[in-house]
Amino acid sequence: MSSKVHENGRPVANFRPTIWKDTFDFMSSPKLEPEDDRLFEELKDQVKEMLSTASSADNPIGEVILINSLCRLGVSHHFETEIEKRLDHIFEAHPDLAAENDYDLYTVALIFRIFRQHGFKMSCGVFNKYKESDGKFKESLISDMRGILSLYEATQLRVHEEDILEEALTFTTAQLKKISLAPNTSPQLTKHITEALEQPFHTGVPRLEELKYISFYEHEESRNDTLLKFAKLDFNRVQLLHKQELSDLTSWWKDLNFASTYFYMRDRLVEMYLWSFTQCYEPCYSRARVIFTKVFMLQMAIDDTFDAYGLFDELQCFTDAIERWDNNAISQLPDYMKPLYSSVLNLFEELNNEMTEEGRSYSVSYTKEMMKEVTRAYFVEAQWFREDFVPSFDERMSNALITGCCVLAPAAAFIGIKEIAGIHAYEWLQSKPKVTISSFKILRLVADFVSHKDEQERGHVASVVESYMKEYGTSRTETAERFKVMITNLWKDINEECMRPTIVPLQLINVIVNVARIAEVFYKEVDGITNPEYVKAYVRKLFVDPILL
């Protein structure tokens, strides 16, 4: 693990420059056409009316199907309160909904998935009726393509010791592969199945999954054109807000001039905004996205100073200064570190002033303590690297979860979420709950596996991959397989932690769960932060190109 260094002893990273330059300058100007704005409001009223009339006292399945469409098309955020009330009522009034009627497999699997996605622990026993006496799934199901796909998506919500869902996953995966290869399967359906096999809806980034579904849904014969039009208009409408946020953040970042001052860091404002967006894209979380992006651009500058420029004695000074969190500590720092340190303190002072007015200054205090913890963990890695030390897998993972910001990331986002992120939520977060550890472990396992080779070539502390291979004597291929098993089990932990009753609101838990989903965007094949070309298509799709109406 020898480090590549400049003549002055500093590490070399040579990160690629930003690929966006001035793309998002002044992107706040576009507006929806007035007629589109009026149409949007009309369609919203029509969809709300659909939701209120879809219910039947004897058979609420029409309502569940409509709620599924709203979720899959990405417009459920407009009707969160109504959806919550309706699902709660249906679950209480019809506890055996999926079993008490002679529904087909598609419908039963859809009911199961919708309720579990919203935290209701519906029994997986509803699928027993689709098995033969020998324990195998009925042969007659093989021709039920919609049912097979619906069951496959439902299996992604399984928890530990749900054997029937494990069997269902094996069964549906095999059948879907056959269906996708069959000559009589339409290209549109083949694409839909292939995408589902590659990335199930439940474990994918919500907004990207919604975009994919809109594309599929518009070719469905059974589509509701009102819903489809509303979903497209809503996407474009919300995209304008994202462009506004990116424009404002670009201006803030340019004013800091960090791209020049810290020439060695990854200039990734757009990518870091994409990260915040994948955690919570809905309009109501605008401030959360902006605050998160600002905090994490400064955090990235610190991270890259530790990994790609700072000398050990300088890193010790910076760690001590962050621990003191005092403007007077600036005198102990090398000149190049002073703007970074001042910017961190200034940002947190601004946030504290804002939150004090709202009676939520604790949100900034907790986040500040988490930033101190992350910086201490960075310094531990600097010590390990200096000593050429490879820690055990558990020790490495424990520190990697901190440097991966498992508490800092949600803490920063929660600052901007207002009422539902009260002091109780921060106390819960500080306890490092299982859902947080599980989500960030998935991110770390995926991220380290795709990035560890490049990191070792440029000189970097051993990743969790090196630690695992050394401790267990495994090859890279064997390690990859074992990591996959770990990730599968971690998703089961996450699914269990999302079941009601939850300690904090499910909206907050979803921000954390989305971190596990982020891995699919940023680390599927390469490190998309270090190599921004990899996520360029996502950025264009989400923030640049509107949907054609």
Side-chain angles (χ1 to χ4, degrees):
M1 297 196 307
S2 62
S3 174
K4 294 182 179 179
V5 294
H6 285 296
E7 290 181 1
N8 63 4
R10 298 190 182 280
V12 174
N14 293 324
F15 293 126
R16 300 176 189 182
T18 179
I19 61 175
W20 296 106
K21 296 182 181 177
D22 300 324
T23 304
F24 293 97
D25 283 359
F26 314 114
M27 285 200 75
S28 58
S29 54
K31 303 288 182 185
L32 281 180
E33 294 295 329
E35 56 269 28
D36 285 342
D37 221 4
R38 286 192 296 271
L39 178 59
F40 173 83
E41 294 300 333
E42 291 172 8
L43 292 173
K44 182 179 177 180
D45 288 341
Q46 290 177 33
V47 174
K48 191 170 185 177
E49 180 66 18
M50 284 182 204
L51 191 56
S52 65
T53 59
S55 177
S56 164
D58 298 326
N59 185 10
I61 190 59
E63 193 169 9
V64 176
I65 291 173
L66 176 58
I67 288 171
N68 175 62
S69 295
L70 296 177
C71 293
R72 293 298 302 264
L73 291 168
V75 294
S76 59
H77 62 93
H78 289 288
F79 314 103
E80 279 188 0
T81 302
E82 293 94 329
I83 289 173
E84 175 72 17
K85 287 180 180 177
R86 293 311 306 158
L87 289 179
D88 193 56
H89 172 75
I90 294 169
F91 196 75
E92 290 295 321
H94 303 271
D96 299 315
L97 176 64
E100 67 187 11
N101 295 286
D102 189 25
Y103 295 131
D104 60 11
L105 177 60
Y106 168 81
T107 304
V108 171
L110 185 148
I111 294 170
F112 178 87
R113 177 173 57 77
I114 281 293
F115 277 101
R116 282 223 171 171
Q117 279 175 197
H118 288 83
F120 297 93
K121 194 168 186 178
M122 181 170 284
S123 170
C124 61
V126 296
F127 298 111
N128 282 322
K129 62 183 178 181
Y130 298 108
K131 298 183 79 174
E132 302 282 10
S133 57
D134 62 0
K136 294 182 180 180
F137 281 94
K138 294 179 179 179
E139 287 290 319
S140 58
L141 297 176
I142 293 175
S143 60
D144 182 8
M145 183 280 301
R146 289 177 77 242
I148 292 291
L149 184 56
S150 185
L151 178 57
Y152 168 79
E153 294 286 10
T155 64
Q156 309 303 320
L157 280 295
R158 67 195 185 282
V159 298
H160 295 282
E161 299 181 4
E162 291 190 319
D163 293 343
I164 190 170
L165 293 182
E166 296 290 351
E167 295 163 10
L169 177 62
T170 301
F171 171 72
T172 55
T173 301
Q175 297 307 318
L176 288 173
K177 286 179 179 177
K178 290 179 182 177
I179 293 170
S180 67
L181 295 173
N184 59 337
T185 304
S186 70
Q188 181 70 14
L189 180 57
T190 297
K191 182 175 183 287
H192 187 52
I193 291 173
T194 302
E195 288 178 344
L197 288 171
E198 185 177 332
Q199 178 56 68
F201 167 66
H202 176 60
T203 58
V205 169
R207 202 54 164 168
L208 289 172
E209 292 305 308
E210 291 157 8
L211 264 180
K212 285 195 294 187
Y213 192 75
I214 288 173
S215 177
F216 171 75
Y217 187 74
E218 67 181 345
H219 292 94
E220 284 279 87
E221 291 182 6
S222 60
R223 70 182 179 274
N224 181 310
D225 287 325
T226 298
L227 277 182
L228 179 62
K229 184 77 170 179
F230 180 60
K232 288 182 174 183
L233 275 172
D234 183 63
F235 179 88
N236 291 347
R237 184 186 179 95
V238 175
Q239 188 186 69
L240 292 177
L241 173 63
H242 297 145
K243 289 179 178 181
Q244 171 76 64
E245 292 166 5
L246 262 173
S247 177
D248 293 344
L249 284 165
T250 298
S251 178
W252 167 81
W253 184 240
K254 286 190 172 182
D255 287 346
L256 280 182
N257 197 34
F258 269 30
S260 298
T261 306
Y262 297 102
F263 59 89
Y264 55 80
M265 75 170 287
R266 290 166 292 179
D267 184 4
R268 302 290 184 267
L269 179 76
V270 175
E271 291 75 17
M272 196 49 60
Y273 177 79
L274 174 61
W275 190 294
S276 75
F277 167 93
T278 56
Q279 289 183 131
C280 46
Y281 75 82
E282 296 88 344
C284 63
Y285 298 129
S286 177
R287 188 160 68 154
R289 286 189 293 274
V290 170
I291 291 173
F292 177 93
T293 305
K294 288 182 176 181
V295 170
F296 270 78
M297 285 307 295
L298 298 185
Q299 190 66 40
M300 184 177 289
I302 296 172
D303 187 8
D304 289 346
T305 297
F306 273 78
D307 277 356
Y309 192 76
L311 301 177
F312 186 79
D313 290 345
E314 296 170 345
L315 302 179
Q316 174 75 75
C317 289
F318 190 85
T319 303
D320 293 343
I322 286 288
E323 200 65 43
R324 287 178 59 185
W325 206 275
D326 181 352
N327 275 313
N328 293 325
I330 198 168
S331 60
Q332 75 185 55
L333 295 172
D335 287 344
Y336 80 93
M337 287 182 166
K338 291 177 180 179
L340 173 56
Y341 185 73
S342 293
S343 296
V344 171
L345 268 58
N346 290 341
L347 175 60
F348 273 75
E349 184 178 5
E350 291 171 14
L351 293 174
N352 187 63
N353 291 339
E354 285 182 37
M355 295 303 118
T356 298
E357 290 181 6
E358 299 176 13
R360 296 182 66 248
S361 60
Y362 56 82
S363 64
V364 181
S365 297
Y366 274 102
T367 306
K368 179 174 70 176
E369 292 307 310
M370 294 307 101
M371 183 165 262
K372 290 180 181 181
E373 182 184 45
V374 172
T375 305
R376 289 195 296 270
Y378 286 154
F379 188 66
V380 168
E381 291 187 353
Q383 290 175 306
W384 285 345
F385 180 65
R386 188 187 194 200
E387 298 164 5
D388 207 20
F389 174 65
V390 181
S392 69
F393 175 71
D394 287 343
E395 186 180 9
R396 183 67 186 93
M397 178 61 81
S398 179
N399 200 71
L401 288 174
I402 300 172
T403 60
C405 304
C406 75
V407 179
L408 176 60
F414 286 7
I415 293 175
I417 297 183
K418 293 189 177 180
E419 292 81 8
I420 63 172
I423 192 167
H424 174 62
Y426 276 91
E427 291 170 344
W428 170 80
L429 193 57
Q430 197 171 37
S431 73
K432 295 184 172 68
K434 182 184 283 188
V435 68
T436 302
I437 297 301
S438 298
S439 295
F440 278 84
K441 274 188 175 178
I442 289 174
L443 179 63
R444 178 55 70 180
L445 290 170
V446 175
D448 276 21
F449 198 82
V450 301
S451 65
H452 78 103
K453 279 188 172 181
D454 288 343
E455 288 180 344
Q456 295 310 306
E457 286 178 6
R458 74 166 188 260
H460 195 276
V461 67
S463 73
V464 295
V465 178
E466 279 78 36
S467 288
Y468 191 92
M469 291 169 67
K470 180 180 179 181
E471 183 171 350
Y472 296 100
T474 55
S475 66
R476 192 169 186 273
T477 301
E478 290 170 330
T479 301
E481 291 304 311
R482 295 190 187 185
F483 278 17
K484 287 178 183 177
V485 173
M486 290 184 205
I487 290 168
T488 295
N489 288 323
L490 288 165
W491 266 112
K492 293 177 185 177
D493 290 339
I494 290 172
N495 292 338
E496 186 69 55
E497 290 295 297
C498 291
M499 299 296 177
R500 304 179 187 215
T502 56
I503 297 175
V504 298
L506 198 56
Q507 297 99 308
L508 297 182
I509 293 176
N510 283 334
V511 172
I512 294 168
V513 175
N514 282 339
V515 170
R517 297 174 171 129
I518 284 171
E520 184 63 26
V521 170
F522 283 97
Y523 300 104
K524 190 171 182 180
E525 295 175 15
V526 298
D527 179 346
I529 296 291
T530 303
N531 304 283
E533 294 85 358
Y534 179 71
V535 298
K536 184 176 182 179
Y538 295 126
V539 171
R540 293 203 62 86
K541 188 181 297 186
L542 294 168
F543 308 138
V544 179
D545 301 328
I547 295 179
L548 296 177
L549 301 177

